[in-house]
Amino acid sequence: EVKLLESGGGLVQPGGSLRLSCAASGFTFADFYMSWIRQSPGKAPEWLSFIRNKANSYTTEYNPSVKGRFTISRDDTQNVLYLQMNTLRTEDTAIYYCAKHEWQLFYFDYWGQGVMVTVSS
Amino acid sequence: DIQMTQSPHSLSASLGETVSIECLASEGISNYLAWYQQKPGKSPQLLISFASSLQNGVPSRFSGSGSGTQFSLKISNMQPEDEGIYYCQQGYKYPPTFGGGTKLELK
């Protein structure tokens, strides 16, 4: 059974940083592209970033809304996906999900349960 | 970015009724269109990819159609467990974008 479990969320002041983790199990993590997606209360999901697999050089892409502030990475030895978030803004407040891609496609066939990030003074 | 516009914003259906949700892309996306269902407090679940390909385990009362810029999700024989918010998402071009959602309730 595929499982994705996010952690690392919480309350942070504007301008602060957080690192989210996503522990993956139930599939060969190293083979798949992975993404971070967020959802503000009552809003549609917003894709943030994805990272390719080793075969595709772990290259990354970012939504312009977070490019330069957020960094995605992965540890295939530990089956963990990360999102380093810097210079956080109040508008970054949302539930953050990690999601597995359907092969190398831009469809997300498994999502974690999500972790809440609140940016507030 | 490609804009995805869903309609209606919300609808209610009776048990056994057939409902349709529309999704319009701001430019052609071939058939790179997915549909997700989200229930309260849960993460979205992928129902359909490539506009019409049903994911394993998704009931056959769900079906998708369309290509280019116009797509639709049809739910036949509405069941209580079909309540939720439905999102379309284009996987054609960076960044992948979602529609605003359609809230489906049981009448």
Side-chain angles (χ1 to χ4, degrees), chain A residues 37 39 42-47 50 52 61-64 97 102 105-114, chain B residues 1 31-34 36 38 42-44 46 49-51 55 87 89-91 94-96 98-101:
Chain A
I37 299 166
Q39 188 172 30
K43 302 291 187 182
E46 177 189 22
W47 172 82
F50 93 104
R52 295 178 176 88
E61 301 290 344
Y62 295 91
N63 191 311
Y97 298 99
E102 188 176 52
L105 302 168
F106 265 94
Y107 304 128
F108 311 108
D109 57 359
Y110 290 93
W111 300 53
Q113 88 289 345
Chain B
D1 298 2
N31 67 337
Y32 288 89
L33 191 284
Y36 298 84
Q38 186 175 30
K42 300 292 187 182
S43 55
L46 179 63
S49 60
F50 289 112
Q55 293 295 110
Y87 296 99
Q89 175 244 319
Q90 65 84 14
Y94 295 123
F98 291 82

Side-chain angles (χ1 to χ4, degrees), chain A residues 4 13 17 32 36 46 66 74 91 95 98 100 106 109 121:
Chain A
L4 298 169
Q13 291 188 337
S17 298
F32 288 88
W36 286 98
E46 177 189 22
V66 302
R74 62 191 296 164
E91 56 264 35
I95 296 172
C98 64
K100 170 185 167 293
F106 265 94
D109 57 359
S121 55

